[in-house]
Amino acid sequence: ILGACLGQTNPLKPFEFLNGLKTKSHQANLKSAPSFITITTLDSLNAELEKHASKPILIKFYADWCASCKHMEVELFQDSEIVHALKNWVLIKADITENTLSQRELMKGYQVFAPPSIYLFNSKKPSDFMQFHGEIDKKEFIDKLNGFIKKEAK
């Protein structure tokens, strides 16, 4: 609670501001973090899927109030091995923070009850996808990603 009162937004590190300057390796790791296209409606997601139809696509359902989302943001999507594995993917963040009607329609369209949820789409077979819900760690994510890639290569 004290961290929130001091203006901190990461529930996993409420006193992060006390660390001062980060180490060079931490700064380098943050620089390599992938860039996500942020959408908030089903129409905007469909437009992005159509626009990037020739590439593999990862969609993560995310909310600022979701502690697991915050944890995965740092521990998963800023990890250099995962950044490298996703370098040829289109990365989309479905931000459902405000829980508006259009965001609830987006969640309903993808059968998402709550974040975090991740979808992987193959550009060659858009009807083939993999979904997983809830917080996962690096090993599980890489296993699922590799399994999806191998399945789609057949």
Side-chain angles (χ1 to χ4, degrees):
I1 295 175
L2 183 58
C5 291
L6 293 171
Q8 298 304 298
T9 58
N10 186 343
L12 301 173
K13 298 180 182 176
F15 301 108
E16 185 172 29
F17 67 96
L18 296 174
N19 291 339
L21 296 174
K22 301 291 182 193
T23 63
K24 288 183 181 180
S25 64
H26 178 75
Q27 289 173 346
N29 197 26
L30 289 178
K31 289 179 187 175
S32 68
S35 177
F36 281 81
I37 299 164
T38 301
I39 59 92
T40 57
T41 67
L42 189 55
D43 288 341
S44 59
L45 176 56
N46 289 334
E48 290 298 331
L49 292 175
E50 188 175 319
K51 181 179 173 182
H52 301 287
S54 64
K55 296 182 179 181
I57 298 171
L58 177 144
I59 304 168
K60 69 173 178 177
F61 284 81
Y62 170 93
D64 287 344
W65 44 260
C66 169
S68 293
C69 297
K70 294 274 193 181
H71 183 257
M72 288 172 58
E73 191 77 22
V74 174
E75 298 300 322
L76 200 63
F77 293 109
Q78 292 183 8
D79 180 88
S80 59
E81 187 177 349
I82 290 176
V83 168
H84 179 72
L86 295 174
K87 70 180 178 184
N88 295 321
W89 288 65
V90 174
L91 306 173
I92 299 174
K93 176 168 72 172
D95 188 347
I96 54 175
T97 299
E98 296 178 10
N99 198 30
T100 63
L101 177 61
S102 60
Q103 290 172 353
R104 288 191 302 272
E105 288 173 353
L106 173 61
M107 291 172 61
K108 184 178 179 182
Y110 281 83
Q111 299 176 347
V112 172
F113 179 72
S117 290
I118 296 175
Y119 281 76
L120 305 175
F121 287 92
N122 181 342
S123 58
K124 296 178 178 100
K125 300 178 193 172
S127 60
D128 290 344
F129 64 91
M130 177 184 282
Q131 64 184 1
F132 36 103
H133 305 284
E135 185 175 339
I136 62 172
D137 61 19
K138 176 182 172 179
K139 181 187 179 324
E140 185 179 0
F141 180 81
I142 289 177
D143 288 347
K144 288 181 180 289
L145 185 63
N146 288 336
F148 180 76
I149 292 168
K150 286 178 187 174
K151 180 185 118 189
E152 298 305 313
K154 293 180 181 180

